[in-house]
Amino acid sequence: MRKWIKYGLIGLSANLALPLAAQAQDSGTEAILTRFAADYLADPTFQASTEFGVVVDGDWWTVSFNHDAASFSVSHGEPATPTFYYTAEADTLAQVDRGEIAALTAMGKAFSSDYAPMDIELMDGAGFNPAILALTFHFWTRGTPEIINWRDQATREVHGGNVGIIYYQPGFRSGFGQVMPGQHVNEDPRSRTNGFPTLLVFTGNRAIARIDGVDQEVSNGQMILIPAGVSHEILNPFDEPAEFLLFMFGDGA
């Protein structure tokens, strides 16, 4: 039987007032999912009832939200109705719980066949709704407003650079990262063009931007707007890591 939990303002405020370390003392999957669900219940973007699965090292859990009752449940086992679900390694889930890495960063891939320690899958009979990407950010990010200490979060090597994902929704993607000395972003020709504009904002040190095969040095305080369909690579032949913010937008992003 599912246990439904309803938080009033006093109970929720008391929970959020606890230091993160105190909230994270219980590192079990149920405790972690309960902390995230309790926080999402107060998120301004929580506008409808929803249910999804979470599979941690092969073990199924179901997270359900009842919008009208302002309640949620975390139960062991698969969702009864086909829906989307997250897969995660236990160590990765614990890192997300501690705020060391963003869930979307843990899911980052250059190509769909690549491995990621966290991912989104669909149960048989379920369809993909692009709104899942925004829900992923809001569910797995605590606090209101949702403040992202992006320089303190871990990155993963994707497309040849060290990248972290901030936020996705249909028509918009954002991220951050570093190009370490010797790294070559988009060295694989399959990665060099997008069907939508890309904006790179350099926030630290230097790199070489190779746009349509032409090299130009870019550095802290400069931006590059790359139109849809234009080939782009970023190389770092220098001694220090280059730092950037990434924004992709428009149809298809």
Side-chain angles (χ1 to χ4, degrees):
M1 179 180 295
R2 284 183 181 150
K3 181 180 180 182
W4 286 92
I5 305 174
K6 184 170 182 177
Y7 282 80
L9 293 177
I10 294 176
L12 183 60
S13 298
N15 180 62
L16 295 179
L18 290 173
L20 182 59
Q23 293 188 47
Q25 284 180 351
D26 187 342
S27 60
T29 298
E30 184 174 12
I32 291 174
L33 294 179
T34 298
R35 284 193 287 273
F36 278 111
D39 180 82
Y40 182 61
L41 200 67
D43 195 295
T45 67
F46 172 45
Q47 297 294 326
S49 299
T50 188
E51 180 174 274
F52 55 85
V54 182
V55 182
V56 181
D57 288 346
D59 195 21
W60 275 91
W61 294 84
T62 296
V63 180
S64 300
F65 288 93
N66 185 316
H67 183 264
D68 292 341
S71 61
F72 72 86
S73 71
V74 174
S75 57
H76 202 217
E78 297 184 27
T81 302
T83 184
F84 69 97
Y85 63 95
Y86 300 100
T87 61
E89 297 176 359
D91 289 346
T92 301
L93 186 66
Q95 284 185 291
V96 174
D97 182 47
R98 294 192 298 266
E100 297 169 358
I101 189 171
L104 284 167
T105 297
M107 298 176 192
K109 298 180 181 182
F111 306 103
S112 60
S113 58
D114 290 349
Y115 163 80
M118 195 167 181
D119 210 345
I120 303 174
E121 303 285 350
L122 297 174
M123 298 176 68
D124 289 343
F128 181 76
N129 182 344
I132 291 171
L133 297 175
L135 184 149
T136 298
F137 171 85
H138 293 295
F139 178 79
W140 296 108
T141 305
R142 291 199 186 99
T144 303
E146 290 155 321
I147 298 172
I148 310 302
N149 298 315
W150 57 273
R151 280 196 172 101
D152 295 333
Q153 285 193 348
T155 59
R156 294 179 56 245
E157 187 167 348
V158 179
H159 291 296
N162 293 0
V163 179
I165 306 302
I166 301 173
Y167 183 76
Y168 276 14
Q169 69 175 35
F172 178 77
R173 310 183 195 186
S174 58
F176 64 93
Q178 293 179 324
V179 186
M180 303 300 289
Q183 283 189 323
H184 183 169
V185 177
N186 292 344
E187 184 176 13
D188 190 321
R190 295 174 295 171
S191 300
R192 292 179 186 170
T193 59
N194 294 324
F196 38 80
T198 299
L199 179 67
L200 287 170
V201 181
F202 287 87
T203 57
N205 301 319
R206 301 178 293 164
I208 299 295
R210 181 172 293 164
I211 310 299
D212 264 351
V214 178
D215 289 1
Q216 177 156 343
E217 183 177 312
V218 290
S219 61
N220 181 24
Q222 293 185 309
M223 300 183 292
I224 303 175
L225 178 62
I226 305 163
V230 172
S231 174
H232 55 283
E233 306 165 62
I234 306 296
L235 303 87
N236 187 354
F238 305 110
D239 295 330
E240 297 178 302
E243 185 182 82
F244 63 89
L245 294 171
L246 169 68
F247 304 94
M248 297 177 284
F249 48 91
D251 291 342

